Amino acid sequence: MRHFAFALALLAVAPLVAAPVPKAKKAELFPSAVGTKWEYTHDGDAKDVWVEEVIECEEKDGVVTFKVDITPSAGEKKFEVYRLKDGVLELTATQDGTFDPPMLIAKVGMKAGDEWKSKYTLKSDGLEYTMENVLTVGKAEEVATPAGKFTATPVTRAQNGGRFKSTFWFAEGVGMIRQTADGQTEPAQDLKAFTPGKGKK
């Protein structure tokens, strides 16, 4: 995915110790309420913090569609649009274009050993790029991040024949807490702080 990435301006008087992550009132694998916010460090750099926030959310006929604004520590803002239907989370669009069909991210109730294929076409500026991912679910385990410790389920995404592999870790009530990539010693994204949303779901 993309992914889920953001920029945070820290106050000079802010404490160096990360504040505890608030507990969600209702456990959701993919929080989508407006105002939900994630802050991630990138590539092990504590100063490179990206902020991701849900700015729009609509539910119709049991399908939840929500838009996430991404503010990197440098450069232009980005966005991602997700769809949650029947417990399946999919990416439908980013600033780079739309996905047809949507790209599978993960599923509610997933368990170790589950495997799915997701073939999709990215349509961007009149061009089309067709890709296929194989997603494999690993065993849930405790993961320590700058925001605290979580019990999280890993989903490994192998793209285009396994040439590119990334693993995304999901925790109930929080969403993605970590992303790792083959060949990197530090997490590509690591959760620094999480704020539950209070807006419309």
Side-chain angles (χ1 to χ4, degrees):
M1 316 161 153
R2 93 32 185 169
H3 269 4
F4 271 73
F6 336 125
L8 173 69
L10 296 177
L11 297 174
V13 296
L16 296 179
V17 179
V21 174
K23 292 183 179 179
K25 293 181 180 180
K26 180 181 178 182
E28 297 177 294
L29 190 55
F30 315 115
S32 59
V34 172
T36 301
K37 183 185 294 185
W38 301 262
E39 301 166 22
Y40 296 97
T41 59
H42 271 235
D43 301 324
D45 185 350
K47 295 181 180 180
D48 185 9
V49 179
W50 292 34
V51 178
E52 180 174 280
E53 182 174 0
V54 178
I55 62 167
E56 297 175 12
C57 183
E58 179 182 12
E59 182 173 359
K60 185 177 181 180
D61 298 329
V63 179
V64 177
T65 301
F66 59 102
K67 182 177 182 179
V68 178
D69 256 7
I70 300 169
T71 306
S73 55
E76 297 181 359
K77 282 190 174 184
K78 307 175 187 295
F79 73 86
E80 295 174 336
V81 180
Y82 291 89
R83 180 177 74 182
L84 183 59
K85 179 181 179 181
D86 298 329
V88 178
L89 182 68
E90 298 171 309
L91 181 65
T92 65
T94 72
Q95 69 285 338
D96 296 322
T98 59
F99 296 88
D100 183 22
M103 182 175 74
L104 176 63
I105 301 300
K107 297 182 181 182
V108 172
M110 58 190 177
K111 59 185 182 300
D114 286 348
E115 183 174 287
W116 321 291
K117 288 184 179 180
S118 175
K119 188 173 183 179
Y120 56 93
T121 298
L122 172 62
K123 298 181 178 181
S124 177
D125 296 328
L127 300 176
E128 296 187 358
Y129 308 90
T130 299
M131 292 167 274
E132 183 174 78
N133 294 337
V134 176
L135 296 94
T136 305
V137 181
K139 184 179 179 180
E141 60 183 81
E142 187 175 80
V143 178
T145 72
K149 294 181 179 180
F150 303 88
T151 297
T153 300
V155 178
T156 297
R157 181 190 303 165
Q159 188 177 65
N160 290 347
R163 286 179 292 174
F164 306 100
K165 283 187 178 180
S166 294
T167 300
F168 302 84
W169 302 77
F170 295 95
E172 284 196 6
V174 180
M176 194 192 79
I177 63 164
R178 172 172 289 173
Q179 177 193 353
T180 58
D182 277 8
Q184 289 187 223
T185 56
E186 296 288 346
Q189 297 185 76
D190 219 9
L191 187 67
K192 178 182 175 66
F194 171 72
T195 305
K198 297 180 181 180
K200 180 179 178 181
K201 290 187 178 181

